Amino acid sequence: MTDIAQLTESVDTLKVSFEDHRYICSNQIATAVYLAFHLRKPVLIEGPPGVGKTELAKTTSELFALPLIRLQCYEGLDEAKAIYEWKYGKQLLYTQVLKETLDEVLQGAQGFAESVTRLHEFGDIFFSEEFLEPRPLLKALREEEGCVLLIDEVDKSDHEFESLLLEILSDFQVSIPEIGTVKAHRDPPIVFLTSNNTREISDALKRRCLHLYIPFPDADLEQRIIHARVPEIPPELRRQLVTFIQDLRELDLKKVPAISETIDWARTLLLLHTETLDPELVRETLNVILKFQEDIENVDAEIAALTSKAVKT
Amino acid sequence: MDRTLTSFIAALRNAEVRISPAETLDAMSALELVGYRDREFLKNTLSLVLPKTPDEKETFSETFDSFFSFDDVSGTALPAEGTEEGEGGGGSGEGGEGQAEGEGSAGGGGGKGRKKKGKFAAEEEEEEDLGHGEMSEPQSALGKLLLQDSTVELTMRMADAAKAVQLDEIQVFTQKGLYTRKIMEEMGLTELQQEIGAAKQSRRVPDRRMAQELGKRRDALREQVRDYVERQFLLHADATGRRLREELLRKVKLSNVEHRNFRLIQEVVFRMAKKLVALHSRRRKVFKRGQLNVPRTLRHNMAYDGAIFDLRWKSVKVDRPKVFAICDVSGSVANYARFMLMFLYSLDEVMPKVRSFAFSSDLAEVTDLFERNHIEDAIAKTLRDYSGGSTDYGQAFADFRKNCMDDVDGRTTIIILGDARNNYGDPRTDILKEMYDRAKRVLWLNPEPRATWNMGDAEMRKYTAYVHQAEECNSLMHLERVVGNLLRTVA
């Protein structure tokens, strides 16, 4: 724990340690993690796909040396998959066993009332921790040393599921009707939620979280990110491809390339032993950064101009 | 310190950032951790805690910059002036490096020049020194006050003057200049101007110097007053002004709304469309067949000794209603078409399954156009491509039947926006009837007042027989009522 305390001493130390873990972040992002740790508040991360939202949670868990528990959201996700489930098979077996021992328990009981009393005295473990199958959220709460909980793409889940999350986000506890309330241990998890904004997240959820918006990085930051992720790439080529991508984002595209695409492209170019961008090469590798045929066709005309601009400046 | 935060939050709320008391508390605990010292850190922190959408973040950033810059100016100005005065009072009388206007020579032979100081500070110091010699000169009250360097007193005078001119009644931002001048005048600007004017004419060098100095300080004061007005405006006026405008817009007929108020209307419409959607998408349906839900089945049959005979299904399926919106953009509704398209566009934005159509005679689907363009462009393009022709509802309905009737089912809501003026053509009510029979709901929103619904070539009487609801709809108030009704019946 002293380790974490040191790491989170200030935003700057955090930023540096993130960079050691090859995650280049802006002050804003580092501040978010800093506050999330000190205020014990969940962070809702929004932004276009591929800017490193999920990566931030992963890196944080690495950095703090805490286990990462991940809950991928999708339509139809419910509490049975997110919080807990009963072990039905075992419960069934238990009833069978119970039936066999019933005679022993009730032996010598006088009348119905006494039988019922005896039955009540007999410890009932049907709905007990024994038969509880913890799902990610409950697991996260039960981690002794704390953990990083990543609730990924929360916008994909249903409206109702959001309400389910409220209790765990504000109080770090879940209520299981049959058992009672399960509270987090000494160190509640550090929670990250990510959203691609396919639908508006409810105000109630937003109110309980810090809200971090990660936009596309500027050229300088993106260069540093590429440097951290693909260190083998020569600086000149790195500059060229970042310039190219930055310009590409200005165009009217169905899906603009994100950082992850830039990284992929850098790796591709490295693999092809490229030294400098040229239109032919760009055209051939365009499918790495653009994911729609329509976009590729639209950009095709611009390639020469964009490339020469990127190479020249 | 907390007062600063609360008034900042008040300013944010005025700027339409929604902040709950819980978030205010969060901000306070974050502040305890962060403090006010590092401006960027503070901004980053608050931007994580308070605004919760990208739009709000932008507003937040602007508000933060304008709000806290004032504090910076007065905060740093205060101690800086203090030290200058102290040194000036020391009477060391040195000429700074910075001033090249030859004032250095007049500043006495000292001229040791403290080079560590910035140019600005050095200049101030020099002139302070000169003013020192002419202390008795300024006659006007404001002039004296200015040269006394008493910030506290100046601020108090400023606040008094603001009260005298009733600054708290400022309503729109164009009044800012006016109020600034009024406050300055209240504080005695006229006298000061005269004195400066006179002193400038004077032959005596010290007089002219004083005039220069007074002029400089007057400008600084004006700047301060302007900031003060700005801040007061942020705190008090913006919201009331906005409310006023919004209120007015609601009542104004949509054909008369000016272009620059578009954005505001858009927001109101967007909010309305969202309300409509929020209710719609919550409807659920329990299915009697489908996938077997093993856990629930087992659990339910536990009571029967584990013998499975009461089956449970994976029961819930979200029932997302489909909306078809058909909008008349022909000449007769030209004034309203823009607004109706706006509603259509907003609806499309908040609802996953809206198909939008526009027609004057031939029906065309504009769903794709809406998806790919911004609202302004989308509306402009729609109007360019499809408007202008003479209305033919019959043709439009026939087109609709040909292309989309198969997609209309019991979950579909059809909204028709138009005046039903059919140029005496065949109204084709048979198709509308078919739509009425198949769809869950058919809604007709007519921009004309009810009284004229059946005048001239309008076919409203025939059409109303085959819609679930027909409403007059030509102002936001109407629209709000329609949406409200709709919500009530759906719920």
Side-chain angles (χ1 to χ4, degrees), chain B residues 40-304:
Chain B
E40 198 210 332
F41 192 20
L42 177 67
K43 187 175 175 182
N44 279 342
T45 305
L46 290 182
S47 87
L48 287 163
V49 180
L50 297 176
K52 300 278 159 101
T53 65
D55 278 350
E56 283 183 357
K57 282 200 198 258
E58 223 164 83
T59 322
F60 167 84
S61 177
E62 281 165 24
T63 316
F64 184 91
D65 287 343
S66 60
F67 189 88
F68 281 100
S69 71
F70 305 148
D71 277 6
D72 268 12
V73 168
S74 56
T76 53
L78 238 170
E81 269 175 51
T83 54
E84 277 158 26
E85 175 132 77
E87 284 177 25
S92 32
E94 58 269 290
E97 255 264 302
Q99 75 283 31
E101 302 101 277
E103 286 165 353
S105 59
K112 279 168 199 155
R114 297 199 171 174
K115 292 176 189 173
K116 286 168 267 176
K117 295 209 165 214
K119 178 170 172 169
F120 176 70
E123 247 172 36
E124 281 268 311
E125 194 181 321
E126 167 61 23
E127 276 158 17
E128 176 68 24
D129 194 38
L130 285 172
H132 201 67
E134 305 294 331
M135 211 47 173
S136 56
E137 282 297 322
Q139 301 294 319
S140 64
L142 184 59
K144 279 180 196 158
L145 207 60
L146 278 176
L147 285 192
Q148 269 167 17
D149 258 338
S150 148
T151 325
V152 179
E153 208 161 314
L154 262 181
T155 318
M156 275 170 61
R157 282 291 307 273
M158 192 154 73
D160 286 346
K163 219 172 275 168
V165 302
Q166 296 175 312
L167 178 62
D168 48 346
E169 288 188 0
I170 185 170
Q171 287 212 322
V172 286
F173 72 96
T174 43
Q175 289 174 314
K176 277 193 263 186
L178 177 74
Y179 273 98
T180 309
R181 210 180 62 235
K182 270 192 184 167
I183 291 176
M184 289 291 283
E185 271 164 12
E186 182 70 24
M187 287 173 81
L189 179 70
T190 335
E191 286 171 53
L192 181 72
Q193 293 288 46
Q194 279 166 6
E195 190 173 11
I196 292 177
K200 263 190 189 157
Q201 302 299 320
S202 166
R203 288 189 182 185
R204 291 179 54 213
V205 177
D207 272 0
R208 287 210 297 278
R209 233 166 256 146
M210 181 198 72
Q212 201 177 18
E213 174 63 18
L214 274 179
K216 227 174 247 174
R217 288 184 183 229
R218 177 200 57 206
D219 292 346
L221 178 69
R222 181 173 294 141
E223 203 65 24
Q224 264 177 12
V225 171
R226 193 173 298 143
D227 283 354
Y228 182 75
V229 171
E230 170 92 35
R231 182 157 36 170
Q232 294 301 314
F233 175 70
L234 275 181
L235 283 177
H236 300 300
D238 208 6
T240 47
R242 202 187 157 89
R243 263 201 293 282
L244 203 73
R245 261 183 301 157
E246 235 170 67
E247 201 52 47
L248 272 176
L249 279 179
R250 256 167 226 271
K251 292 182 192 146
V252 166
K253 268 201 172 186
L254 282 151
S255 49
N256 300 336
V257 173
E258 284 172 56
H259 192 74
R260 69 189 158 83
N261 283 326
F262 238 57
R263 215 186 125 74
L264 210 58
I265 289 221
Q266 204 177 311
E267 272 169 35
V268 177
V269 169
F270 188 77
R271 270 207 295 276
M272 254 180 247
K274 203 169 151 188
K275 225 197 241 168
L276 182 74
V277 167
L279 219 119
H280 256 307
S281 56
R282 215 172 289 155
R283 290 182 50 248
R284 285 178 158 238
K285 222 177 192 176
V286 175
F287 268 33
K288 276 289 165 215
R289 274 172 299 166
Q291 241 178 325
L292 186 68
N293 186 340
V294 181
R296 281 197 66 202
T297 307
L298 283 179
R299 195 168 170 178
H300 264 272
N301 288 288
M302 215 76 85
Y304 315 125

Side-chain angles (χ1 to χ4, degrees), chain A residues 11 27-29 31-35 38-39 41 43-44 46 75 81 84-86 88-89 91-92 95-96 99 126-127 158-160 178 197 200 203 206-213 252 254 294 298, chain B residues 18 20-23 26 29-31 33-34 38 40-41 43-54 57 274 281-282 284 293-296 298-299 301-302 305-308 314 318 320 372-373:
Chain A
V11 172
N27 274 338
Q28 182 89 39
I29 297 175
T31 311
V33 178
Y34 176 82
L35 288 179
H38 284 280
L39 298 178
K41 292 215 95 183
V43 189
L44 172 64
E46 289 190 308
E75 214 176 305
K81 284 160 199 146
Y84 68 92
E85 176 76 296
W86 295 103
Y88 297 100
Q91 277 179 330
L92 268 184
T95 50
Q96 304 286 336
K99 206 162 66 182
F126 191 83
F127 285 124
D158 305 320
H159 203 78
E160 289 75 7
E178 293 90 345
N197 247 332
E200 193 77 5
D203 286 341
K206 281 187 169 173
R207 202 163 52 231
R208 284 164 175 82
C209 301
L210 302 172
H211 184 271
L212 172 66
Y213 183 80
D252 180 26
K254 216 166 169 181
E294 209 180 318
N298 283 341
Chain B
R18 284 175 55 193
S20 67
E23 281 158 334
D26 286 347
S29 53
L31 270 181
L33 188 70
V34 171
D38 186 340
E40 198 210 332
F41 192 20
K43 187 175 175 182
N44 279 342
T45 305
L46 290 182
S47 87
L48 287 163
V49 180
L50 297 176
K52 300 278 159 101
T53 65
K57 282 200 198 258
K274 203 169 151 188
S281 56
R282 215 172 289 155
R284 285 178 158 238
N293 186 340
V294 181
R296 281 197 66 202
L298 283 179
R299 195 168 170 178
N301 288 288
M302 215 76 85
D305 215 7
I308 294 166
K314 288 203 169 153
V318 183
R320 281 221 191 85
R372 298 188 57 98
N373 289 290

Side-chain angles (χ1 to χ4, degrees), chain B residues 406-417:
Chain B
D406 289 344
D407 299 337
V408 177
D409 56 27
R411 291 182 296 147
T412 312
T413 303
I414 298 176
I415 302 177
I416 302 169
L417 305 152

Side-chain angles (χ1 to χ4, degrees), chain A residues 102-271:
Chain A
L102 207 57
D103 288 344
E104 287 172 35
V105 176
L106 296 181
Q107 209 168 32
Q110 304 277 319
F112 188 66
E114 202 188 331
S115 307
V116 173
T117 323
R118 282 215 198 164
L119 207 57
H120 278 300
E121 279 165 7
F122 182 75
D124 182 16
I125 58 163
F126 191 83
F127 285 124
S128 69
E129 299 253 348
E130 300 281 321
F131 296 120
L132 196 65
E133 175 87 58
R135 301 288 190 195
L137 294 184
L138 190 60
K139 236 188 250 171
L141 288 182
R142 286 168 149 195
E143 284 288 338
E144 295 275 340
E145 298 290 320
C147 67
V148 175
L149 172 64
L150 167 62
I151 303 174
D152 214 3
E153 304 192 9
V154 72
D155 52 330
K156 298 264 165 59
S157 68
D158 305 320
H159 203 78
E160 289 75 7
F161 182 71
E162 263 179 42
S163 317
L164 262 180
L165 283 177
L166 296 181
E167 190 184 6
I168 189 169
L169 291 183
S170 55
D171 299 323
F172 294 109
Q173 64 175 42
V174 292
S175 298
I176 301 172
E178 293 90 345
I179 292 183
T181 308
V182 179
K183 267 188 181 309
H185 284 268
R186 193 165 43 91
D187 293 308
I190 302 173
V191 186
F192 292 96
L193 301 104
T194 72
S195 155
N196 283 334
N197 247 332
T198 52
R199 76 177 167 82
E200 193 77 5
I201 305 292
S202 72
D203 286 341
L205 188 85
K206 281 187 169 173
R207 202 163 52 231
R208 284 164 175 82
C209 301
L210 302 172
H211 184 271
L212 172 66
Y213 183 80
I214 307 185
F216 286 122
D218 55 27
D220 187 46
L221 192 63
E222 187 158 25
Q223 283 216 38
R224 284 172 50 211
I225 294 171
I226 300 297
H227 180 62
R229 289 283 158 155
V230 195
E232 306 88 355
I233 197 161
E236 175 56 24
L237 180 63
R238 188 175 73 223
R239 195 193 55 72
Q240 285 177 11
L241 80 94
V242 167
T243 320
F244 187 89
I245 294 270
Q246 294 268 340
D247 286 341
L248 206 57
R249 285 198 191 120
E250 302 286 313
L251 298 181
D252 180 26
L253 295 175
K254 216 166 169 181
K255 184 189 176 309
V256 288
I259 304 176
S260 49
E261 269 95 31
T262 319
I263 293 173
D264 286 346
W265 201 33
R267 291 211 175 104
T268 314
L269 293 182
L270 195 69
L271 205 67

